[in-house]
Amino acid sequence: MNAPYLLPAMLALAVGTYALRWTGPALRHRLRLSARTIHLLDTGALILLAALVATSTMPTGSGELGLALPAGVGVGGLLAWRRAPLLLTVLAAATTTALLRLAGVH
């Protein structure tokens, strides 16, 4: 790809992402949010996570929804609900999906 604006755009996005991530810890003690705002932010994060789970179980490309992917997402969701560590949750979900596909369940 030979686009003259690709590298500057990537750098701008990288700087913007870093700046956005830096503002949270930098403003933690300077910005006070109301209890309602904190509740709304927590609810928004939960809705975003639920939407991510829902879209990750939908078929991509082939249009066929097999059993392996929803089973892996289900295992990950169950472990997240039980408050397992994130790394364990992701590895268990990926392992479940991979083992089911290896066994011929798609």
Side-chain angles (χ1 to χ4, degrees):
M1 182 175 245
N2 192 9
Y5 299 111
L6 184 61
L7 186 60
M10 288 173 44
L11 289 174
L13 285 172
V15 169
T17 301
Y18 181 75
L20 187 62
R21 289 180 162 261
W22 177 78
T23 56
L27 298 177
R28 179 176 308 216
H29 300 292
R30 296 182 184 189
L31 184 64
R32 297 286 176 213
L33 300 175
S34 68
R36 172 127 173 95
T37 304
I38 291 172
H39 176 70
L40 288 174
L41 288 172
D42 287 342
T43 303
L46 181 63
I47 291 170
L48 185 62
L49 183 59
L52 179 65
V53 168
T55 58
S56 68
T57 59
M58 299 297 168
T60 56
S62 67
E64 296 179 18
L65 180 61
L67 181 64
L69 183 60
V73 172
V75 167
L78 179 66
L79 288 174
W81 177 60
R82 302 285 298 169
R83 299 187 187 269
L86 179 63
L87 181 60
L88 175 68
T89 301
V90 170
L91 288 176
T95 302
T96 301
T97 302
L99 288 175
L100 284 172
R101 287 183 176 168
L102 186 64
V105 179
H106 293 280

